[in-house]
Amino acid sequence: SSSVMNVSEHLSCPLGFGHYNAVDICILETVVIVVLTFLIIAGNLTVIFVFHCAPLLHHYTTSYFIQTMAYADLFVGVSCLVPTLSLLHYSTGVHESLTCQVFGYIISVLKSVSMACLACISVDRYLAITKPLSYNQLVTPCRLRICIILIWIYSCLIFLPSFFGWGKPGYHGDIFEWCATSWRTNAYFTGFIVCLLYAPAAFVICFTYFHIFKICRQHTKEINNRRARFPSHEVDAAGETGHSPDRRYAMVLFRITSVFYVLWLPYIIYFLLESSRVLENPALSFLTTWLAISNSFCNCVIYSLSNSVFRLGLRRLSETICSSC
């Protein structure tokens, strides 16, 4: 249609090579972005409502971070309405540069919050397993709220230099032409982000989960040895009330963390390569960006499939909605 032709002329369609091919690719990109936007918003709204409907989920201190991630991912979906509406209905582009900068900054901040929350979750589980007796004194609701506030402040500050011309905050797969042609990445700013965000978060997660599973494996070995020596109900009961629930919950959170880094690793690698001017491919830019953004929906799926309490809350929420209808 003529409207789609107009969109293809003014917006960046990175996968298109010919004019008519570009129109088809713009339609494909629009479908991908619209579907992802809908799934992200619907999925995270469901997570937020389930947490309010399932009081048992609040027994875990990590529920503070899970809910923070859900709100951050929800805002990612809401932010994705900007390119969605831009593709569906072309705007005049008077403030295209400002829109581009604000959109890239917001997306980067929100994903930084998710990454920092995953690191804090791993530290929380590490303390729960290594210091079970003093855990309640170390991790209090007040300290958790302060930690979440600091995460938001830190995430907002770390990407702020992008507004002063020091590189791009990391958003690729540019929808707006100004983003693709005039806003370039900077190797020094990319190194700054990697050193202050990506690398510390990855190191903390690897360190804590390595020790968590090492301790759980040692504990399981000790329980099996006790059962072999003293086959009694007391030992079985002690084993069941030991680290087993913590280990299962740690596995759920480890799956969420693993999927996060699997989806974000191509994006981070391309970000580094483009900043160093080693590789610049619009198709890879678009694919790696929206693959990373799709993680905002994957968290909901993993949590709903892996956590029995969450599934119970989801079933109660569904029953409530069905009964009201």
Side-chain angles (χ1 to χ4, degrees):
S1 64
S2 60
S3 60
V4 176
M5 299 275 285
N6 190 32
V7 166
S8 67
E9 292 174 358
H10 293 277
L11 297 179
S12 173
C13 297
L15 302 182
F17 297 96
H19 181 68
Y20 291 100
N21 191 30
V23 174
D24 295 335
I25 294 301
C26 274
I27 295 173
L28 177 62
E29 290 179 11
T30 304
V31 171
V32 171
I33 296 172
V34 169
V35 170
L36 272 180
T37 301
F38 172 77
L39 290 176
I40 291 170
I41 293 175
N44 286 285
L45 279 176
T46 302
V47 171
I48 292 168
F49 284 134
V50 168
F51 266 91
H52 286 290
C53 296
L56 286 176
L57 287 169
H58 295 281
H59 291 178
Y60 294 103
T61 54
T62 50
S63 65
Y64 287 86
F65 296 112
I66 294 291
Q67 289 183 80
T68 301
M69 288 174 57
Y71 280 109
D73 289 335
L74 175 63
F75 292 145
V76 167
V78 174
S79 300
C80 287
L81 290 173
V82 175
T84 301
L85 296 175
S86 298
L87 284 171
L88 292 175
H89 179 70
Y90 173 64
S91 60
T92 58
V94 175
H95 302 292
E96 186 178 340
S97 61
L98 180 61
T99 303
C100 214
Q101 287 180 311
V102 171
F103 177 64
Y105 174 78
I106 290 175
I107 288 289
S108 299
V109 167
L110 293 174
K111 298 319 296 180
S112 172
V113 169
S114 295
M115 194 174 293
C117 283
L118 289 172
C120 290
I121 285 172
S122 68
V123 172
D124 176 84
R125 291 298 88 198
Y126 177 77
L127 292 175
I129 290 178
T130 58
K131 301 182 183 298
L133 298 179
S134 58
Y135 174 77
N136 290 330
Q137 286 74 36
L138 290 172
V139 182
T140 62
C142 180
R143 289 178 180 177
L144 287 172
R145 294 188 185 97
I146 293 173
C147 182
I148 290 171
I149 292 171
L150 291 176
I151 286 173
W152 280 99
I153 293 174
Y154 183 78
S155 299
C156 290
L157 290 177
I158 195 172
F159 291 102
L160 207 56
S162 63
F163 277 107
F164 301 98
W166 194 30
K168 214 181 208 178
Y171 176 70
H172 298 285
D174 303 304
I175 299 302
F176 298 102
E177 186 178 357
W178 187 88
C179 287
T181 58
S182 302
W183 200 15
R184 311 296 293 175
T185 53
N186 183 290
Y188 295 106
F189 182 67
T190 303
F192 172 77
I193 297 297
V194 169
C195 292
L196 269 70
L197 178 62
Y198 296 154
F203 174 78
V204 168
I205 288 170
C206 291
F207 175 84
T208 52
Y209 277 114
F210 172 78
H211 284 85
I212 285 171
F213 291 120
K214 182 180 177 181
I215 292 168
C216 289
R217 190 165 56 248
Q218 291 174 349
H219 182 80
T220 303
K221 186 177 179 180
E222 290 174 3
I223 293 297
N224 291 333
N225 290 336
R226 288 179 186 176
R227 284 175 178 170
R229 276 191 253 176
F230 311 103
S232 63
H233 296 291
E234 287 79 7
V235 175
D236 291 339
E240 291 299 324
T241 58
H243 289 300
S244 183
D246 286 328
R247 184 180 183 181
R248 286 196 298 268
Y249 194 60
M251 280 299 299
V252 174
L253 301 172
F254 180 72
R255 290 189 196 108
I256 293 176
T257 306
S258 300
V259 171
F260 181 92
Y261 277 95
V262 166
L263 294 177
W264 272 83
L265 190 59
Y267 170 86
I268 294 172
I269 292 173
Y270 181 82
F271 183 30
L272 292 170
L273 293 176
E274 186 186 89
S275 300
S276 305
R277 303 294 183 265
V278 175
L279 176 66
E280 190 167 348
N281 188 303
L284 282 177
S285 176
F286 179 84
L287 293 175
T288 55
T289 295
W290 291 97
L291 181 67
I293 290 177
S294 68
N295 176 77
S296 297
F297 171 69
C298 294
N299 289 341
C300 317
V301 177
I302 298 168
Y303 208 73
S304 60
L305 293 177
S306 303
N307 191 285
S308 58
V309 179
F310 184 88
R311 290 197 299 272
L312 177 62
L314 183 60
R315 187 163 63 247
R316 289 177 177 174
L317 178 64
S318 303
E319 291 172 356
T320 302
I321 294 174
C322 291
S323 62
S324 62
C325 292

